[in-house]
């Protein structure tokens, strides 16, 4: 299947910080995708934008997110078989 891309926003462990970040991202016109992950025994929320089909669309989303997030990073997502 085809290559997909996402924008990695960060890992957040504090609920208030997460709410503030999500509000900023939505105000910037992007819709965050959340996933709970456990890092060294601590539950955190992984915040990303995407998936996107092209690097251009991903870069555009990262640009929008720049004011809301410290360091948005474009990442390739490996196609999964499921």
């Amino acid at each position: 299947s085809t290559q997909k891309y996402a924008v990695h926003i960060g890992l957040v462990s504090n609920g208030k910080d997460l709410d503030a970040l999500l509000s900023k991202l939505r105000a910037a016109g992007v819709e965050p995708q959340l996933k709970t992950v456990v890092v060294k025994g601590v539950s955190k929320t992984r915040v990303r934008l995407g998936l996107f089909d092209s690097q251009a669309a991903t870069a555009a989303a990262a640009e929008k997110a720049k004011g809301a997030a410290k360091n948005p990073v474009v990442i390739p997502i490996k196609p999964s078989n499921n």
Side-chain angles (χ1 to χ4, degrees):
S1 77
T2 53
Q3 178 71 61
K4 302 274 190 195
Y5 301 90
V7 181
H8 182 73
I9 299 294
L11 286 169
V12 185
S13 50
N14 177 307
K16 278 186 187 165
D17 292 347
L18 180 62
D19 288 344
L21 176 61
L22 298 183
S23 297
K24 282 186 196 167
L25 288 168
R26 290 183 177 124
V30 290
E31 183 53 39
Q33 305 294 322
L34 308 180
K35 183 174 185 183
T36 302
V37 293
V38 177
V39 182
K40 293 178 182 169
V42 180
S43 179
K44 299 187 179 219
T45 303
R46 186 183 75 195
V47 183
R48 286 184 177 172
L49 309 177
L51 299 172
F52 300 98
D53 292 324
S54 71
Q55 278 183 289
T58 317
E63 195 59 41
K64 279 187 185 174
K66 270 196 177 138
K70 289 186 192 109
N71 184 26
V73 180
V74 172
I75 52 172
I77 302 292
K78 291 187 185 79
S80 62
N81 298 324
N82 24 350

